[in-house]
């Protein structure tokens, strides 16, 4: 194996943490402004009431919950993909995992805010917590929203752990290379990591356990998000396909988000040497697979509704197929199906640019998919006299824009403070034939500073 | 165990072990407030009369104690007093029978309206500028008395005019009485949707100058010629109650019109008829007109006429009703007479299931608005009427009023007419004063009730003010009661006669039944080639003739046929609109020879293709915060065509053209509560989700 | 025996006049939201009269159907509320505890009848319109769902009065505001547990149907279907 990852790699990884460029400040300023405007818009909405959004009778769920589902979907990029790749021991995952896991944590944090923004009385959101009160009133555990609350919290906790655990050795690395406040800061974050074999073993088994445990959690969380819809007897919501459909859609949008993030980091942090076209191509293949799977689900969903010809559902069906929402619907089909398949099934276009274009389309398309699940169905329930419509307002759009900006901002900050590629994992990759030795070799300040004599000695 | 119980149970068994609190969550977890802690307030009920239309429904008001900010002698303060909270129909009232229409329900908002005038005011700016300064009642009465004394001094008492609503009762009698004894001419009444031509026809046919009462409860066949008797025409609650009773049997109700009104929507059969020819159809059914000729003129198929004739004669008791648009043509008298002939043919006049005439109070002689406009008075007293709004522009009412040197308004609100006043002496609301009514219909005796609550503001009952002014004149009118209360409660000899007309009572004379009125073609303003559409303004279910546009409940209650709120709209036949590439909500300009108005289109499947319809009610330029500058007023494009025999406005006699001038807006000017107009929308055009 | 309040609506008699709608506003402190808000779909009408056109001019008909909370026995709104703001009370009503509502609006999604309305803003009653407010009904604040209660305050008052006078409730004496206003008496209200009550008898009528019955929410309102007229000879 070609041992590429020596000192220059570690330097490349640590450099962004140690020095700050103008671009960083520019991004922070730009996105920070948008986030601040979004916060102001939310404050405005808190003060005057949820009426500042465009929601109306009878479609009481709209843009905020579209974004909720969208961001929860995006969050499936990271932990889930990372865990699967870790479990199947795909070597090419190593530069990708942390990039991906961070998306999960931030997307979840952003996504989980939306149900609160969406509430009529957000200051009472704590009533969803099962806390003992004098009146013995608990949350209603029959409500899918209560399930959501637990599912998302579990997933967030798990994802944060999954992200933080493998960061400990890298924090220790930065700690050892820095002075002043950075040394104290990273010292605290590295939880006294000394790089003993025992610590490495524990880290490795913890990661293994987490990778196994996070999979069902990730699948369940988006299934439960889909339950918010499929449990209600609303035309085209009340469907058994929603669980897998949502999970597939989530992974689909998640991969797209991951590709976009990787491409951005590659450019911004000059990681061309580490995030290789191969990584994009592999993820592109995965995206292609998910695109086909997504198309399969949509076909299933649409065909059964159309063939079943139940008139309440047909109202929603036609509203999306050729009515008011048709432009959005067909944009979604083009973005989610036609563009990815055209670009990614062809080896010549399955390059970085092709992947980025396709991913961009998928992110837009999947956002539209969430919108088209929520809005047209609620607008066309069983009694046609109560049909409605929906147009978003500036407040809603501002808050939505702020969450996209927040994602970029958080990501920029994260890349600023944490090595964005897991240094030790990359190094361990160099010893893929002998993982234990690799782990040991990855540690820059192992106690026995001498180079390993042989693979046998390390194991 | 069904699915939901299963989910409940699994959820509960899964969680209750951990939480130990939940047993049966439906009943135990949720008792935020024990039911015994909820103590309803104590209410008393006081009777009154709904003032909104001439039906004179008896109401009861729920009165509860509350803290009210009130004005006494120019001072504001909070006192605890009985406040009316809700109006219901008075179960003991023979008109309302415990029921009430939407408008009547909202009448309570008059009392509590935020823009109600609370004290006397005197104009301080230009006339119509809306600038007034507050004055005291003493000053106001002195001013008014002074003006009247000045007329008397100039021996010009005839230059005093009183403009009011045509409401039968002691109030109008007192006004007429005072005017006569002062030396002025009778009061002038103004009403847009006047039924004067029907009264005239009834006078000619039956010798009764009044509107009939229909015994719908016992009728088995009802044919209505344009009469919106369940919505806005005549005594709506009385008629609706009877209709509900009728519907307990298996009657047939046929409605003849060019537009599917709310009443027509309840018909078992809707017969489309050319506007202005309904009378011919009635005569043909009565067997007094050739079926072929009638079919040609009315556009109703020969077979239909023959079938209707057969049904009408075999499924009695049958009754025919005419009202609204068919009467508002130049041949209105013929139309009304023709329907009277049909009723005579049904032989139900005065019989169960037919029409009767209530023994009503003596009719007070009144004058028409036209007389007032021709000879403007020098002092005009305005009693809560708004002829500036309800008259076609060609009558130039505002211009005529501007030439009146002194105008006094008694109304509780500034509207287009009272804005021209020099002096405003606001009346109590009906809940704060003595009220009375002498309905034209039913078996109702005169009813009279005292105030329900104490006044909120520094207002005074108008009859009391008139009495006070009369007593203070330089040449006082002798023998007057001190207050309206005394006047209302004073026994009058002529009232001792029988008040109740039992069902089946005969009209007083049927001597004129042989009288014949010749058919004349209805005359329309605007020729067919240039103005291809009949213009059908109609009384809005909620806002009536616009006099109720200031009540927010009525503004926001959806119109029954369109579900529109807070707006004006133009109804166009749905298929015709498709031909003209007009979509729901597109802005349409409706133009007559008199001018044009713009409003959003409502595609109505129930309107004749050669007609456009618009509700009257919106388009106020100055009528409280809730109605000002909202929508457009269709009266403003009506041609000044009148019914020759009565001089009342023929509001169906205008023709218009339409043009699309703008697209639907995101937050539409067409504000609909409801979505689709059809229960099974047609998706084949991709139009099913229009709303 | 507990009560089980129910309603029957005779579509033969309903004329679509909307008296019930205004009466409901008057009784239940339902705010008017202004034209601007109404155009944004925020108008609140706990009871609405649905109007459906059938056919085209001149062969055109209209169907009216008052729709209000159906007070379902198996209410979809109750299960989905995470805070129990929507719950079943002892009389079988779908009660809404305004103070407990946090405004997820899930109940409105779950409700197939779309009879739930949301307070998008704090309601305004410009003085002195507030003096009309019914003191027996709470005024709802921003962010809270509301819907028809079957005039629960009137039920409570009638129960209290009956208990004070040591008598049973009389069928028909207790009416919600819509039924009381309805000029044609199309709306009949009463106790379904009393087999002799008018509403229980109407609920058993062969003309009786439930709205969207196949969804299984078990609504407590019976709609007596409109009967077309036909020649008596045809019998």
């Amino acid at each position: 194996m070609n041992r590429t990852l020596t000192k220059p790699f570690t330097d490349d990884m640590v450099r962004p943490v140690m020095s700050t460029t103008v671009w960083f400040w520019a991004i922070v300023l730009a996105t920070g402004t948008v986030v601040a405007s979004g916060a102001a818009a939310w404050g405005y909405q808190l003060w005057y009431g949820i009426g500042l959004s465009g929601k109306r009778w009878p479609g009481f769920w709209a843009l905020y919950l579209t974004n909720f589902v969208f961001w929860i979907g995006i969050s499936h990029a990271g932990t889930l993909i990372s865990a699967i790749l870790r479990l199947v021991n795909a070597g090419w995952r190593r530069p990708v995992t942390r990039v991906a896991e961070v998306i999960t944590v931030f997307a979840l944090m952003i996504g989980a805010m939306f149900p609160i923004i969406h509430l009529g009385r957000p200051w009472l959101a704590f009533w969803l917590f099962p806390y003992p009160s004098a009146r013995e009133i608990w949350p209603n555990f029959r409500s899918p929203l209560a399930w959501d609350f637990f599912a998302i919290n579990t997933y967030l906790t798990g994802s944060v752990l999954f992200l933080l655990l493998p960061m400990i050795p890298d924090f220790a690395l930065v700690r050892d290379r820095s002075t002043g406040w950075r040394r104290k800061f990273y010292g605290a974050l590295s939880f006294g990591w000394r790089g003993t074999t025992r610590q490495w073993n524990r880290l490795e088994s913890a990661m293994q356990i987490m990778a196994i445990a996070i999979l069902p959690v990730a699948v369940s969380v988006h299934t439960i998000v889909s339950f918010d819809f499929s449990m209600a007897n609303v035309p085209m919501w009340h469907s058994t396909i929603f669980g897998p459909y949502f999970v597939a859609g989530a992974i689909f949008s998640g991969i797209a988000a991951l590709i976009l993030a990787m491409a951005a980091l590659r450019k911004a942090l000059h990681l061309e040497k580490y995030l290789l076209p191969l990584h994009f191509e592999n993820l592109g293949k995965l995206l292609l697979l998910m695109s086909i799977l997504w198309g399969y689900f949509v076909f299933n969903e649409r065909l059964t509704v159309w063939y079943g010809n139940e008139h309440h559902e047909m109202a929603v069906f036609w509203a999306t197929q050729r009515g008011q929402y048709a432009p959005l619907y067909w944009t979604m089909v083009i973005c989610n199906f036609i563009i990815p398949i055209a670009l990614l099934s062809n080896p010549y276009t399955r390059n970085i640019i092709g992947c980025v274009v396709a991913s961009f389309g998928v992110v837009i398309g999947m956002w539209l998919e969430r919108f088209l699940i929520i809005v047209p169905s609620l607008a066309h329930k069983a009694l046609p006299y109560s049909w409605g419509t929906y147009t978003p307002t500036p407040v809603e759009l501002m808050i939505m824009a702020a969450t996209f900006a927040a994602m970029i901002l958080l990501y920029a900050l994260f890349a600023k403070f944490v090595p964005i590629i897991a240094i030790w994992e990359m190094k361990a990759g160099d010893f893929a034939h002998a993982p234990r030795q690799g782990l040991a070799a990855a540690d820059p300040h192992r106690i026995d500073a001498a180079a390993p004599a042989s693979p046998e000695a390390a194991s | 165990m069904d699915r939901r119980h299963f989910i409940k149970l699994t959820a509960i068994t899964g969680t209750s072990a951990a939480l130990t609190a939940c047993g049966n969550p439906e009943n135990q977890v949720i008792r935020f407030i024990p039911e015994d802690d909820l103590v309803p307030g104590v209410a008393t009920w006081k009777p009154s009369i709904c003032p909104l239309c001439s039906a004179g429904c008896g109401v009861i008001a729920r009165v509860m104690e509350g803290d009210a900010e009130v004005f006494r002698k120019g001072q504001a303060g909070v006192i605890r007093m009985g406040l009316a909270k809700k109006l219901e129909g008075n179960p003991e009232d023979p008109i309302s029978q415990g029921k009430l229409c939407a408008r009547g329900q909202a009448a309570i908002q008059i009392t509590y309206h935020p823009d109600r005038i609370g004290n006397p005011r005197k104009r301080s700016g230009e006339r119509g500028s809306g600038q007034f300064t507050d004055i005291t009642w003493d000053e106001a009465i002195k001013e008014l008395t002074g003006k009247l004394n000045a007329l008397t001094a100039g021996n010009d008492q005839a230059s005093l005019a009183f403009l009011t609503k045509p409401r039968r009762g002691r109030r109008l009698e007192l006004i007429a009485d005072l005017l006569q004894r002062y030396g002025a001419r009778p009061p002038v009444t103004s009403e847009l949707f006047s039924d004067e031509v029907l009264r005239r026809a009834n006078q000619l046919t039956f010798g009764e100058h009044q509107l009939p009462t229909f015994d719908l409860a016992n009728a088995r066949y009802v044919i209505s010629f344009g009469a919106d008797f369940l919505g806005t025409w005549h005594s709506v609650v009385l008629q609706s109650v009877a209709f509900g009773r009728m519907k307990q049997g298996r009657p047939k109700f046929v409605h003849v019109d060019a537009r599917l009104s709310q009443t027509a929507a309840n018909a078992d059969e809707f017969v489309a008829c050319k506007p202005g020819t309904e009378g011919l159809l009635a005569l043909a059914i009565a067997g007094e007109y050739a079926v072929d000729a009638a079919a040609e003129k009315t556009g109703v198929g020969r077979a239909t006429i023959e079938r209707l004739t057969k049904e009408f004669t075999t499924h009695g008791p049958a009754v025919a009703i005419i009202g609204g648009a068919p009467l508002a043509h130049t041949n209105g008298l013929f139309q009304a007479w023709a329907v009277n002939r049909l009723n005579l043919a049904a032989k139900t006049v005065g019989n169960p299931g037919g029409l009767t005439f209530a023994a009503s109070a003596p009719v007070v002689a009144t004058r028409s608005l036209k007389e007032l406009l021709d000879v403007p008075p020098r002092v005009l007293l305005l009693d809560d009427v708004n002829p500036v709004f309800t008259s076609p522009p060609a009558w130039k009412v505002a211009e005529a009023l501007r030439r009146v040197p002194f105008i006094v308004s008694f109304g509780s609100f500034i509207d287009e007419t009272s804005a021209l006043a020099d002096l405003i002496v606001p009346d109590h609301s009906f809940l704060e004063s003595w009220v009375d009514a002498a309905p034209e219909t039913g078996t109702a005796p005169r009813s009279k009730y005292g105030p329900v609550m104490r006044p909120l503001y520094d207002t005074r009952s108008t009859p009391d003010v008139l009495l006070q002014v009369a007593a203070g004149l330089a040449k006082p009118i002798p023998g007057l009661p001190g207050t309206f209360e005394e006047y209302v409660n004073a026994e009058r000899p002529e009232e001792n006669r029988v008040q109740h007309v039992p069902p089946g009572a005969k009209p007083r004379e049927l001597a004129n039944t042989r009288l014949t009125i010749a058919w004349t073609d209805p005359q329309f303003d605007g020729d067919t080639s240039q103005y291809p559409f009949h213009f059908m303004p109609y009384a809005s279910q909620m806002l009536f003739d616009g006099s109720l546009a200031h009540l927010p409940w009525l503004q926001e209650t959806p119109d029954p046929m369109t579900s529109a709120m807070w707006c004006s709209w133009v109804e166009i036949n749905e298929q015709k609109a498709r031909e003209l590439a007009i979509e729901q909500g597109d802005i349409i300009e409706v133009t007559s020879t008199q001018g044009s108005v713009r409003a959003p289109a409502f595609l109505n499947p129930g309107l004749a293709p050669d007609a456009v319809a618009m509700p009257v009610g919106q388009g106020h330029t100055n009528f409280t915060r809730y109605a000002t500058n909202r929508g457009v007023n269709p009266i403003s494009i009506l041609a000044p065509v009148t019914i020759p025999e009565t001089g009342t406005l023929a509001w169906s006699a205008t023709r218009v053209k339409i043009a699309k001038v703008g697209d639907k807006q995101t937050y539409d000017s067409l504000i609909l509560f409801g979505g689709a107009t059809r229960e099974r929308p047609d998706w084949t055009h991709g139009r099913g989700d229009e709303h | 025996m507990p009560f089980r309040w129910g309603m029957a609506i005779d579509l033969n008699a309903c004329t679509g006049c909307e008296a019930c709608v205004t009466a409901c506003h008057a009784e239940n402190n339902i705010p008017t939201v202004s034209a601007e808000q109404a155009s944004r779909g925020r108008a609140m009408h706990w009871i609405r009269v649905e109007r459906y056109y059938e056919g085209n001019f001149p062969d055109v008909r209209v169907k009216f159907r008052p729709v209000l909370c159906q007070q379902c026995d198996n209410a979809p709104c109750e299960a989905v509320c995470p805070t129990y703001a929507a719950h079943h009370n002892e009389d079988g009503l779908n009660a809404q505890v305004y103070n407990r509502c946090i405004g997820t609006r899930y109940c409105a999604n779950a409700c197939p009848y779309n009879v739930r309305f949301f307070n998008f803003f704090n309601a305004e009653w410009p003085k002195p319109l507030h003096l009309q407010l019914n003191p027996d009904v709470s005024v709802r604040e921003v962010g809270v769902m509301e819907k028809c209660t079957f005039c629960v305050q009137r039920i409570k008052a009638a129960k209290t009065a009956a208990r004070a006078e040591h008598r049973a409730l009389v069928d028909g004496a207790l009416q919600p505001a819509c039924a009381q206003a309805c000029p044609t008496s199309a709306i009949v209200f009463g106790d379904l547990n009393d087999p002799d009550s008018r509403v229980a008898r109407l609920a058993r009528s062969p003309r009786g149907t439930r709205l969207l019955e196949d969804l299984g929410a078990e609504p407590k309102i019976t709609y007596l279907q409109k009967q077309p007229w036909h020649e008596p000879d045809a019998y």
Side-chain angles (χ1 to χ4, degrees), chain A residues 417-436:
Chain A
F417 290 107
V418 181
I420 195 65
I421 292 177
I423 302 172
W424 67 270
E425 285 212 71
M426 287 293 281
K427 290 188 175 172
D430 274 0
F431 292 87
H433 59 284
R436 292 281 168 193

Side-chain angles (χ1 to χ4, degrees), chain C residues 7-8 192 198-206 208 210 222 224:
Chain C
M7 191 178 268
L192 290 169
R198 241 188 108 206
V199 70
R201 277 183 281 126
L202 289 173
R204 296 190 295 265
S205 156
R210 314 282 184 284
T222 304
L224 303 175

Side-chain angles (χ1 to χ4, degrees), chain A residues 371-437:
Chain A
F371 185 85
L372 289 169
I373 284 171
I374 295 173
V375 173
S377 284
L378 288 180
H380 297 89
K381 279 156 77 177
L383 301 172
Y385 183 84
S386 69
W387 284 359
T389 179
Y390 168 72
T391 314
T393 59
V395 168
E396 280 172 304
L397 294 172
M398 193 65 239
I399 291 176
M400 176 178 154
T403 59
F404 282 87
M407 188 72 194
I408 298 170
L409 177 63
L410 287 170
Y411 221 96
L413 291 174
F414 184 82
K416 174 78 196 93
F417 290 107
V418 181
I420 195 65
I421 292 177
I423 302 172
W424 67 270
E425 285 212 71
M426 287 293 281
K427 290 188 175 172
D430 274 0
F431 292 87
H433 59 284
R436 292 281 168 193
Q437 188 193 11

Side-chain angles (χ1 to χ4, degrees), chain B residues 2-5 8 25-27 29-32 35-36 38-41 45 60 62 64 67-69 83-86 88-89 98-102 105-106 108-109 111-114 221 230 237 240-241 243-244 247-248 250-252 257-260 262 265-268 270 272 310-311 315 456-457 541-542 552-554 556-563 565-566 573-575 602 604-609 625-626 630 667-668 671-673 676-679, chain C residues 10-27 30-36 38-40 42-45 48-65 73-76 78-79 83-85 87-91 97 99-100 117 125-136 153-154 156-157 159-160 163 175 177 179-185 198 215-218 226-233 235:
Chain B
D2 65 18
R3 179 175 44 90
R4 284 205 178 84
H5 280 109
K8 274 182 212 169
E26 286 154 318
N27 296 334
V29 182
I30 296 302
R31 248 305 149 215
F32 298 102
E35 204 193 43
D36 288 347
L38 296 166
V39 181
W45 294 87
I60 45 173
R62 183 180 192 227
M64 297 178 87
D67 291 326
E69 279 175 39
L83 294 167
K85 295 287 182 184
K86 173 94 170 56
E88 306 283 3
K99 301 298 181 179
L100 212 51
C101 70
Q105 288 284 347
I108 195 168
Q109 285 198 317
T111 304
Y112 298 116
H113 199 288
Y221 199 91
L230 299 174
V237 176
S240 295
V241 170
F243 184 79
K247 278 289 194 175
Q248 298 304 312
R250 297 299 295 273
K252 181 165 186 183
D257 209 342
R259 173 182 168 270
L260 195 80
Q262 180 242 337
N266 289 288
D268 297 289
F270 176 68
K310 181 167 167 281
E311 285 173 7
H315 299 311
L456 285 180
Y457 295 110
Q541 177 88 8
M542 296 303 148
W553 283 343
L554 296 180
E556 202 158 301
T557 303
D559 174 72
M561 302 311 293
T562 60
S563 85
M565 310 170 281
W566 292 101
N573 176 279
E574 195 180 31
Q575 287 167 331
F602 179 84
N604 186 346
L607 179 65
R625 67 186 72 183
Y626 297 109
R630 186 170 304 296
Y667 295 113
D668 335 328
I671 305 172
L672 299 185
F673 179 66
T677 46
R678 291 172 189 272
E679 196 163 24
Chain C
D10 187 350
L11 299 181
N12 256 353
C14 173
T15 66
C17 72
E18 311 259 340
C20 49
V21 180
T22 315
C24 182
H25 271 256
E27 173 73 17
I30 305 175
T32 45
V33 297
S34 85
E36 194 263 342
S39 79
R40 286 162 194 264
R42 275 80 184 271
M44 296 193 223
H45 300 298
R48 62 175 183 264
V49 184
E50 298 199 338
R51 168 273 299 121
Y52 295 112
Y53 283 97
E54 290 169 2
N56 286 306
F57 190 89
D59 300 315
V60 59
R61 281 169 184 283
V62 156
K63 221 158 82 173
F64 289 116
R65 183 205 287 143
D73 280 341
N74 204 357
E78 291 169 4
T83 58
Y84 287 114
H87 69 280
H88 226 66
N89 82 0
E90 292 85 343
D91 290 357
V97 184
N99 280 342
R100 187 66 186 163
F117 293 88
W125 282 274
K127 283 183 180 180
L129 272 179
H130 68 290
L131 293 179
Q132 184 274 326
L133 293 177
N134 184 349
D136 291 343
Q153 68 281 1
R154 291 187 177 206
K156 176 64 193 165
K159 279 187 188 171
T160 308
R163 200 162 56 182
Q175 290 189 92
Q180 183 164 4
C182 180
T184 56
S185 301
R198 241 188 108 206
L215 296 182
E218 293 174 31
K226 202 166 180 161
Q227 296 160 298
W229 182 86
H230 39 84
E231 285 272 350
D233 306 345
Y235 285 109

